Amino acid sequence: MYDRIALVGIGLIGSSLARVIRRERLAGEIVISTRSAATLKRAEELGLGDTYTTDAAEAARGADLVIVSVPVGASGAVAAEIAPALKPGATVTDVGSTKRSVIEQMGPHMPAGVHFIPGHPLAGTEKSGPDAGFADLFENRWCIFTPLPGTDPQALERLSDFWRRCGSNIDTMDAEHHDMVLAIVSHLPHIIAYNIVGTADDLETVTKSEVIKYSASGFRDFTRLAASDPTMWRDVCLHNKDAILEMLARFSEDLASLQRAIRWGDGEKLFDMFTRTRAIRRSIIEAGQEIDVPDFGRQAVEHPHKG
Amino acid sequence: MYDRIALVGIGLIGSSLARVIRRERLAGEIVISTRSAATLKRAEELGLGDTYTTDAAEAARGADLVIVSVPVGASGAVAAEIAPALKPGATVTDVGSTKRSVIEQMGPHMPAGVHFIPGHPLAGTEKSGPDAGFADLFENRWCIFTPLPGTDPQALERLSDFWRRCGSNIDTMDAEHHDMVLAIVSHLPHIIAYNIVGTADDLETVTKSEVIKYSASGFRDFTRLAASDPTMWRDVCLHNKDAILEMLARFSEDLASLQRAIRWGDGEKLFDMFTRTRAIRRSIIEAGQEIDVPDFGRQAVEHPHKG
């Protein structure tokens, strides 16, 4: 689909891209670049690309498609680095979880004649690094583009096709709306998960070993999100501040109201609050974004041979 | 192990017990009782027991072991109902998620010569009802007893053996500590999950269909707990109020501090908060209470034939 694809950043997302590009033969050549020599060496050991360099500009030189997969706080620096090396007609995209900030950081560096199309594949796991990637990561997941006014429709269609062949479904929306949507479906859940795991870690009356031992009764579900990459999530918090603070405020208000219902023993209100949430999970399963087996299918993995 | 076991309540826990008792041949006879005629009929269709009745006292009459598996708010009424029918030397236990309240509710009804041993198997899924149960539910999960002073050690040992043969590991502690531990490992996570799903449901700027579509980016992890049985969780909130309010207060304080770090752009603090939580998940996996595959092993279920 593209003669030469440069992957700048080779963590969970970058290395998953490398694998699916290879499997689906989407590039003539895959060039891999990352700042850390150790990570680059690992990518080479895994055979993720064709050529390897710690110099992002060298990777971008002559590439038809450059995919920047770095923590969003590093987007501006990467854009400045690769800009002089970009060839006319090249497409530059990213995979960052916040879009307004990435556009502000990368946009000003992009030369005329280069198609800059901000993107965000909604896919990931709690693991990070080049070993964590896998070719199926984007299968049946959404990839959202937040194109700028004046974006070349052909370049956008070609990039959409690329992502479809990686397994994704495509959506487009404006960057501001993206950041608001992601604040509720992704950023707030991660922050809440980090927070509750931290609260448990600080208790004096309940030991850490008790929390660990008895975690199957609910707590362990939160630990998956709370095991995500700290650098990535620090940057998300710093770069989608307004939308996150808005969602946090709403969450806290709702929690105060629930707390009041508990304090006053308002069983009817509690029952109502606990009833309406069931329907949402059903809808998510129907939309093909979750599996319809209890316990996230953990049982199927734990007891592969039992009923 | 027991000649006659009476199961009062045949939801997720009761019906899982019925299945494992049958599989492991732990009873000469299984008597099933539940208040709802429709649920009782379903239990009979599923062949979960030997005899069936909507009368809890009739079920308890002549039983060597009575296991009460009802929402904790109903424990007192059930105890009053079965008390006159209990035979001397019988053991009565329960599976409720709060223990101080259950002891207060059931204890006063228990006749002399009956062994009342409060218990709590830390096992469950988001599904409820007799169809949701399965024989492996208690496998490698903890069952906590909160025995009262003067409990007969032989009766306790026999009941412990019973639960071990259901697959559980056994722990004992006092009821107050149990309620505090469960408030953090189970009750707070469920309340937070219900709350965040409710917050998302109320937004004006982000549509419900967007929340559903993009839920794989974090939100869907919360929906499992938020799909749990509303009656059970209303009762937990009403019957473990003090410990839950204590944990909610700590959680909210921590969240306010995190919110402040986001507002002031304190990247260092955010990074520290997001780093320490990773270790807890590792420990939970090492303790055998979670599986070591990304995404809760959803991928393994979604793509059973891929790498």
Side-chain angles (χ1 to χ4, degrees):
Chain A
M1 288 211 51
Y2 292 94
D3 279 342
R4 182 182 162 109
I5 296 182
L7 300 175
V8 180
I10 196 71
L12 171 67
I13 300 292
S15 73
S16 294
L17 277 169
R19 288 171 171 100
V20 69
I21 290 168
R22 173 71 47 95
R23 191 186 70 189
E24 301 295 322
R25 300 166 191 274
L26 304 179
E29 187 191 358
I30 303 171
V31 189
I32 289 174
S33 166
T34 183
R35 220 171 37 171
S36 144
T39 306
L40 192 69
K41 184 159 168 282
R42 185 63 194 142
E44 195 165 357
E45 283 165 8
L46 292 167
L48 295 178
D50 298 303
T51 54
Y52 303 86
T53 171
T54 53
D55 182 344
E58 193 187 314
R61 188 160 294 122
D64 303 285
L65 174 64
V66 180
I67 307 178
V68 178
S69 313
V70 301
V72 288
S75 320
V78 167
E81 220 178 313
I82 62 173
L86 291 169
K87 79 171 185 189
T91 292
V92 176
T93 189
D94 78 309
V95 302
S97 306
T98 76
K99 298 268 62 84
R100 273 206 310 176
S101 161
V102 165
I103 291 168
E104 280 164 25
Q105 289 181 71
M106 294 185 71
H109 296 288
M110 292 296 118
V114 163
H115 306 292
F116 170 48
I117 305 174
H120 180 203
L122 307 194
T125 75
E126 67 277 23
K127 309 271 182 175
S128 42
D131 285 278
F134 52 95
D136 280 336
L137 180 63
F138 309 107
E139 194 70 34
N140 198 28
R141 294 290 163 252
W142 289 93
C143 181
I144 300 176
F145 294 114
T146 60
L148 301 165
T151 296
D152 178 44
Q154 280 188 311
L156 177 59
E157 191 41 42
R158 193 173 170 202
L159 185 61
S160 302
D161 258 349
F162 167 81
W163 274 104
R164 277 188 209 105
R165 294 186 56 183
C166 292
S168 292
N169 309 313
I170 307 298
D171 255 339
T172 59
M173 59 181 70
D174 69 58
E176 189 161 357
H177 188 64
H178 167 279
D179 288 0
M180 191 61 87
V181 171
L182 267 289
I184 186 70
V185 298
S186 176
H187 307 169
L188 185 64
H190 278 83
I191 289 166
I192 295 303
Y194 278 120
N195 194 69
I196 194 171
V197 175
T199 302
D201 201 30
D202 281 342
L203 294 173
E204 318 84 28
T205 48
V206 178
T207 66
K208 206 167 299 184
S209 75
E210 286 176 313
V211 170
I212 289 159
K213 245 169 119 171
Y214 306 133
S215 59
S217 45
F219 183 78
R220 65 173 173 165
D221 280 17
F222 290 79
T223 60
R224 188 182 84 77
L225 297 181
S228 302
D229 183 31
T231 306
M232 169 184 167
W233 285 98
R234 177 200 61 197
D235 280 10
V236 167
C237 288
L238 298 176
H239 292 271
N240 195 22
K241 191 167 92 168
D242 296 344
I244 289 173
L245 289 175
E246 160 76 16
M247 293 305 165
L248 268 172
R250 283 167 179 265
F251 173 85
S252 296
E253 275 169 36
D254 293 344
L255 192 63
S257 155
L258 209 160
Q259 191 167 338
R260 195 171 192 283
I262 293 172
R263 192 178 298 282
W264 291 93
D266 188 344
E268 208 172 318
K269 185 166 181 188
L270 292 169
F271 184 83
D272 288 348
M273 286 171 134
F274 297 168
T275 302
R276 65 176 185 149
T277 49
R278 256 188 170 176
I280 291 194
R281 183 164 178 86
R282 251 195 318 272
S283 306
I284 292 174
I285 290 167
E286 282 160 17
Q289 296 296 309
E290 178 63 287
I291 51 174
D292 187 19
V293 289
D295 237 357
F296 297 124
R298 279 182 187 120
Q299 211 213 335
V301 178
E302 287 177 296
H303 303 290
H305 306 299
K306 295 189 189 173
Chain B
M1 287 209 54
Y2 292 94
D3 280 341
R4 181 180 162 111
I5 296 183
L7 299 175
V8 180
I10 196 70
L12 170 68
I13 301 292
S15 73
S16 294
L17 277 168
R19 289 171 170 100
V20 69
I21 290 168
R22 175 70 49 96
R23 191 186 71 190
E24 302 296 321
R25 299 166 192 276
L26 304 178
E29 187 191 357
I30 303 172
V31 189
I32 289 174
S33 166
T34 183
R35 220 172 33 172
S36 144
T39 308
L40 193 69
K41 185 160 168 280
R42 185 63 193 143
E44 194 165 357
E45 284 165 7
L46 292 167
L48 295 177
D50 299 303
T51 55
Y52 304 86
T53 171
T54 53
D55 181 346
E58 194 186 313
R61 187 161 294 123
D64 304 284
L65 174 64
V66 180
I67 308 179
V68 177
S69 313
V70 301
V72 290
S75 319
V78 167
E81 220 177 312
I82 63 173
L86 292 167
K87 79 171 186 190
T91 293
V92 175
T93 189
D94 78 308
V95 302
S97 305
T98 76
K99 297 268 63 84
R100 273 204 313 175
S101 161
V102 165
I103 291 168
E104 280 165 24
Q105 289 182 71
M106 294 184 71
H109 296 288
M110 291 295 119
V114 164
H115 308 291
F116 170 49
I117 306 174
H120 180 202
L122 308 193
T125 74
E126 66 277 23
K127 309 271 183 175
S128 42
D131 286 279
F134 52 95
D136 279 336
L137 180 63
F138 310 106
E139 194 70 36
N140 198 27
R141 294 291 163 251
W142 290 92
C143 182
I144 301 177
F145 294 115
T146 59
L148 301 164
T151 296
D152 177 45
Q154 281 188 310
L156 177 58
E157 190 43 41
R158 194 173 169 202
L159 185 61
S160 302
D161 259 349
F162 167 82
W163 275 104
R164 277 187 209 104
R165 295 186 56 185
C166 292
S168 293
N169 308 313
I170 307 298
D171 255 341
T172 60
M173 59 181 70
D174 68 58
E176 190 162 357
H177 188 64
H178 167 278
D179 288 0
M180 191 60 90
V181 171
L182 268 289
I184 185 71
V185 298
S186 177
H187 307 169
L188 185 63
H190 278 82
I191 290 166
I192 295 303
Y194 278 120
N195 195 69
I196 194 171
V197 176
T199 302
D201 201 31
D202 280 344
L203 294 173
E204 317 84 31
T205 49
V206 178
T207 66
K208 206 167 299 183
S209 75
E210 286 176 314
V211 169
I212 288 160
K213 243 168 120 171
Y214 306 133
S215 59
S217 46
F219 183 78
R220 65 174 172 165
D221 280 18
F222 290 80
T223 60
R224 189 184 82 79
L225 297 182
S228 302
D229 184 31
T231 306
M232 171 184 165
W233 285 98
R234 177 201 60 197
D235 280 9
V236 166
C237 288
L238 297 175
H239 291 271
N240 195 21
K241 190 166 93 168
D242 296 344
I244 288 173
L245 288 175
E246 161 75 17
M247 294 305 166
L248 268 171
R250 285 166 179 265
F251 173 86
S252 297
E253 275 170 35
D254 293 344
L255 192 62
S257 155
L258 209 161
Q259 190 168 338
R260 194 171 193 283
I262 293 172
R263 193 178 299 282
W264 291 93
D266 188 344
E268 208 172 316
K269 184 165 182 192
L270 291 169
F271 185 82
D272 287 348
M273 286 172 134
F274 297 168
T275 301
R276 65 174 185 149
T277 48
R278 257 190 170 175
I280 292 195
R281 185 166 176 84
R282 253 196 317 271
S283 306
I284 291 174
I285 291 167
E286 282 160 16
Q289 295 296 311
E290 180 63 288
I291 51 174
D292 187 20
V293 289
D295 237 356
F296 296 123
R298 280 183 187 119
Q299 210 214 335
V301 178
E302 287 177 296
H303 302 291
H305 306 298
K306 296 189 190 177

